[in-house]
Amino acid sequence: MNRGPGDREALIAVDTNILLQAHRPELPQHEAALAALERLGLSGSTWCIAWPCAHEFLAVVTSKAFKDAATPIDQALAALNAWIAHPQCRMICETADHAQTLAGLLTRSGVSGGRVHDARIAAICLGNGVTELWSADRDFQMFPDLRTRNPLVPSLHEPLPRYRTRRDA
């Protein structure tokens, strides 16, 4: 298929919450998150993780929020490094026009406080040509320039996940 000058290859970014669900087997959407990342990895397309999401992943999984079950830092780093090592994964960060993009997102959306972190991720994604952010966080809807999708909820184009029944146990 020939691409026109305005066409670009899809580039999907993965948000922290999808990484967390995939990493922690006791979380309710663990299997769905693992399946989503597996589909992404097998797609052959380039996908990415913004560095702030990687930092947030490390902070959350190693925190006291999980009490005695916090992930040891070496295991958390191993999980992150496995994603980074995937041949189609690339890490993304602020671009030269980040300040302008971030300012535009903040002034148009009116977000402040803790939501500035989400605007930062959105600005990084937009600056790096991300066509879709996979997130279970609805806060990104504040930034209509960035298309988002919750991969934990199957679309009409995907098979429904297999749910366990008592007979499966």
Side-chain angles (χ1 to χ4, degrees):
M1 175 176 142
N2 293 331
R3 290 191 217 279
D7 294 340
R8 60 181 177 182
E9 183 180 342
L11 178 58
I12 294 172
V14 180
D15 191 20
T16 309
N17 51 58
I18 305 301
L19 300 174
L20 288 170
Q21 292 282 347
H23 177 71
R24 299 295 302 207
E26 76 280 9
L27 294 178
Q29 295 290 323
H30 173 70
E31 289 184 27
L34 274 180
L37 289 179
E38 185 175 304
R39 282 192 317 274
L40 189 56
L42 294 173
S43 72
S45 297
T46 301
W47 56 284
C48 58
I49 301 170
W51 273 110
C53 294
H55 300 151
E56 188 176 32
F57 166 80
L58 293 171
V60 173
V61 299
T62 62
S63 77
K64 294 180 182 183
F66 289 107
K67 301 187 182 3
D68 294 334
T71 303
I73 193 66
D74 60 330
Q75 291 177 18
L77 287 167
L80 178 61
N81 286 329
W83 291 318
I84 292 171
H86 189 278
Q88 276 77 42
C89 180
R90 68 181 177 119
M91 300 302 291
I92 58 174
C93 60
E94 291 85 353
T95 58
D97 62 346
H98 179 76
Q100 180 181 359
T101 304
L102 179 62
L105 290 173
L106 292 172
T107 56
R108 286 180 177 88
S109 67
V111 303
S112 60
R115 290 177 128 186
V116 170
H117 176 72
D118 293 336
R120 177 184 181 204
I121 293 168
I124 289 171
C125 288
L126 291 169
N128 283 278
V130 167
T131 54
E132 185 173 82
L133 172 65
W134 281 11
S135 179
D137 184 348
R138 292 182 182 169
D139 287 344
F140 286 101
Q141 293 174 357
M142 296 291 298
F143 315 113
D145 296 302
L146 179 61
R147 191 170 113 201
T148 59
R149 178 175 178 279
N150 183 346
L152 307 181
V153 178
S155 77
L156 293 175
H157 306 288
E158 298 171 330
L160 287 172
R162 183 173 181 273
Y163 293 100
R164 291 186 178 168
T165 64
R166 290 180 187 238
R167 287 186 288 167
D168 293 338

